[in-house]
Amino acid sequence: MRGKLLPFYLVIDVSYSMSGAKLDAAARIMPAVVDALAKAPILSDKVRFGVLDFSDDAQVRLPLCDVLDENVVLPQLSVRGGTSYMAAFRLLRTEIEANVKQLKADGYAVHRPAVFFLSDGAPTDRENDWVSAFTDLTAFDKETGRGFPMFPNVVPCGVEGADPAILQRLIHPARGGKPMRMFLADAGEDAAKAITMMAEILISSILASGQSLAAGDSGILLPPEEELPGGVKSYGADDDFV
Amino acid sequence: MGAYVIGEPGRAFGSVVPAPDPAHWHRPDTVIDGYAVHYGGRTAHVRAASVRGLSHRHYGKVRQDEYLVRTTDDGRYVIAAVADGVSAGALSHRAACWAVRQGGDHLCDILSTMDAPSIPWEKLFEVIAADIADFGADLLGDRGLTAREVAERMATTASFAVLDLATGGLYGASVGDTSIWLLRGGWFPLQPVKNDGADIHTSAVRALPLPATPVLARADVQPGDVLVVLSDGVGDPLGDGAGEVGAALAELWRTPPPELEFAAQVGFARKTYDDDRTAVAVWV
């Protein structure tokens, strides 16, 4: 085998409401990830990072890559329109499937991808549409093999206008041995600042997950509640919140 | 002695500065053995090395792999064992050490009363699991701990291979992702290869002292063959043995290398493969 890889995807809401300081903060996540990996050779060897953005449609902005590769150019972000979760989930599924297949064909062993899903608003598409797209992305039955075997771990991150009850439904896996969590900015927290905190959470997850992976454990590790930056809280799929 | 690099070495190989594990000063970074044993007209050359991985060196964590090589008292059987302590447990290296030691002792007892084909592998692993659960409960200072509770603090995979120097018969079994191979020009896995064909790679393993059914290994060795027992630190990059890692190690191990070279070879550099590395090889 050529190597063991741990893919991370950052999915960024670029609806109109994200314009200004929020979008600037979201764009700064990428160089922050690059800086963190540049200081962590054990991880940079195995982490692959990709960025998608979504509005009325979804686009691959940074194809899954080794961000320290000298040919990588970080993308600019710009706002486009509405908030189609369906478009994001559909593209994510297509991308993950294509990326994992390609990496496998190239001789790599690929760990389960992790998705950080950053949004500041509720979906503007019909509930049935985004729910079924999310199911296509995440549902898998080990017994029958039905569904999407490369399903990612999904970590929703909400700021400002995001709907906590909806984001909570995007936590995947919601239960079981290694449940994921969502991260929510406190009410009234400056949204751009909150996005910067989400970036810290993403980076510490990458660092911790790389360490656990290196130590032989599988997959992503989220930072514990007591290590979260002030202004952000984490919730499980069954937690209540105000 | 230079470093052995197979493929791209990766950034970590050139930049990691090893740190000690302050919780385990007594435990060496690397252990090595090299010797020959004789039985009847047959000579077997043994090389064994367990090398702390780049990741454990970087994070200052103890080596969790362990091996054991020994013969039975009559010298007829060579027992080669490798155990890989599960990373999640802070004391897993103790489980690995105990597993190979107890397993080696039990196999000697078994082989003093019966032939290798009759080794009751399932029973043996049950006994080793119970040994680890007892040892763990003692070590953790609570005799009331269940095997599951002990496993959260210390758990290990284990592979045992028994080579009959009288007949060339090779018998073995594994729980978890340590593995038994025959090197005969190329690599022949004697057990199913981990994650073969899987879409998503997982590091989840079966580990003692939790109950687990061992996966058996069986072969008849010929002069020139090498019996190899590996931790997944070597087994994962080896894959099914058909790639460049398999080719490189097969070439290096055509004949028994000097033991220090063997350890350096087991610690070969290859991007992203930073787990502890352990190999026991027996040339017959």
Side-chain angles (χ1 to χ4, degrees):
Chain A
M1 304 295 287
R2 276 180 68 185
K4 294 187 201 188
L5 301 181
L6 183 55
F8 281 83
Y9 294 87
L10 173 62
V11 180
I12 303 174
D13 184 340
V14 290
S15 57
Y16 281 131
S17 60
M18 282 287 287
S19 48
K22 281 195 271 185
L23 196 72
D24 294 342
R28 281 197 302 271
I29 297 175
M30 293 178 270
V33 168
V34 174
D35 287 350
L37 286 173
K39 292 178 201 139
I42 282 264
L43 299 176
S44 69
D45 278 344
K46 59 185 80 158
V47 166
R48 292 290 182 272
F49 184 67
V51 178
L52 280 61
D53 70 12
F54 71 98
S55 173
D56 295 317
D57 65 345
Q59 298 179 11
V60 177
R61 302 310 312 275
L62 178 67
L64 192 71
C65 65
D66 176 349
V67 290
L68 298 187
D69 186 300
E70 59 188 14
N71 299 316
V72 167
V73 179
L74 297 180
Q76 305 294 314
L77 298 179
S78 53
V79 295
R80 294 201 292 273
T83 309
S84 172
Y85 280 18
M86 177 181 75
F89 300 149
R90 292 238 183 278
L91 182 63
L92 199 47
R93 189 191 195 282
T94 310
E95 262 317 277
I96 289 175
E97 184 164 22
N99 293 161
V100 172
K101 277 191 175 153
Q102 184 60 52
L103 289 169
K104 278 191 62 185
D106 292 342
Y108 291 100
V110 185
H111 283 261
R112 188 162 303 290
V115 170
F116 279 72
F117 183 87
L118 176 64
S119 178
D120 76 332
T124 49
D125 36 17
R126 289 187 317 167
E127 175 161 339
N128 279 349
D129 289 340
W130 69 259
V131 168
S132 94
F134 188 72
T135 303
D136 289 345
L137 173 67
T138 54
F140 179 63
D141 183 348
K142 213 171 172 181
E143 300 301 314
T144 62
R146 252 179 296 196
F148 185 40
M150 307 166 194
F151 71 85
N153 294 314
V154 182
V155 181
C157 301
V159 300
E160 215 168 51
D163 182 337
I166 287 178
L167 284 187
Q168 195 176 29
R169 294 164 67 184
L170 308 183
I171 298 172
H172 188 82
R175 288 162 201 91
K178 287 187 180 164
M180 292 294 111
R181 299 178 71 77
M182 71 168 169
F183 296 92
L184 274 188
D186 292 345
E189 183 64 62
D190 174 74
K193 201 174 136 218
I195 290 171
T196 306
M197 293 172 197
M198 298 302 178
E200 282 177 39
I201 291 167
L202 166 63
I203 287 166
S204 65
S205 299
I206 293 176
L207 298 181
S209 308
Q211 181 167 359
S212 91
L213 174 68
D217 203 356
S218 236
I220 173 172
L221 273 188
L222 299 174
E225 190 73 24
E226 63 271 17
E227 286 175 21
L228 294 183
V232 174
K233 290 192 179 52
S234 82
Y235 301 87
D238 298 319
D239 289 342
D240 293 324
F241 42 82
V242 191
Chain B
M1 186 166 63
Y4 290 85
V5 177
I6 304 178
E8 209 183 330
R11 303 177 185 109
F13 183 73
S15 60
V16 165
V17 178
D21 184 341
H24 301 288
W25 291 112
H26 64 278
R27 186 161 172 79
D29 176 275
T30 298
V31 289
I32 301 170
D33 278 293
Y35 49 74
V37 296
H38 312 277
Y39 183 81
R42 215 165 204 156
T43 295
H45 295 274
V46 173
R47 296 290 180 273
S50 183
V51 180
R52 192 159 64 124
L54 275 185
S55 167
H56 282 160
R57 286 177 176 171
H58 175 72
Y59 293 112
K61 294 295 177 195
V62 71
R63 173 173 49 88
Q64 293 176 312
D65 278 8
E66 187 63 24
Y67 70 78
L68 169 101
V69 192
R70 63 168 296 170
T71 69
T72 49
D73 291 340
D74 59 6
R76 174 174 169 177
Y77 297 99
V78 179
I79 298 166
V82 171
D84 177 355
V86 174
S87 59
L91 292 175
S92 284
H93 62 288
R94 302 293 299 268
C97 295
W98 198 241
V100 294
R101 178 176 166 166
Q102 294 297 104
D105 285 355
H106 293 316
L107 277 167
C108 284
D109 289 345
I110 291 167
L111 290 165
S112 68
T113 61
M114 63 179 80
D115 291 337
S118 311
I119 295 170
W121 289 106
E122 290 200 19
K123 178 72 186 158
L124 174 70
F125 276 89
E126 281 172 24
V127 171
I128 298 169
D131 288 343
I132 295 170
D134 281 350
F135 177 63
D138 272 348
L139 203 60
L140 297 165
D142 181 354
R143 295 291 311 165
L145 292 178
T146 64
R148 185 158 295 277
E149 287 162 339
V150 168
E152 286 169 11
R153 301 284 298 282
M154 46 184 277
T156 187
T157 75
S159 291
F160 295 91
V162 171
L163 176 62
D164 184 347
L165 292 179
T167 66
L170 169 60
Y171 305 84
S174 300
V175 162
D177 56 9
T178 38
S179 55
I180 303 172
W181 299 74
L182 192 62
L183 179 53
R184 180 179 282 167
W187 289 89
F188 296 89
L190 301 185
Q191 295 152 322
V193 173
K194 173 184 174 184
N195 281 310
D196 213 11
D199 284 314
I200 293 291
H201 180 89
T202 167
S203 307
V205 291
R206 294 188 170 281
L208 306 171
L210 297 177
T213 305
V215 178
L216 303 187
R218 173 76 183 93
D220 287 301
V221 302
Q222 303 163 5
D225 285 352
V226 194
L227 155 66
V228 185
V229 187
L230 300 173
S231 70
D232 68 335
V234 186
D236 282 357
L238 181 62
D240 64 4
E244 63 179 342
V245 173
L249 293 181
E251 175 61 25
L252 290 168
W253 294 350
R254 278 192 304 123
T255 55
E259 53 270 27
L260 291 174
E261 290 289 342
F262 183 75
Q265 291 158 0
V266 168
F268 64 85
R270 185 170 178 81
K271 191 171 181 175
T272 79
Y273 289 106
D274 51 18
D275 201 0
D276 292 345
R277 303 276 184 79
T278 300
V280 176
V282 183
W283 281 259
V284 293

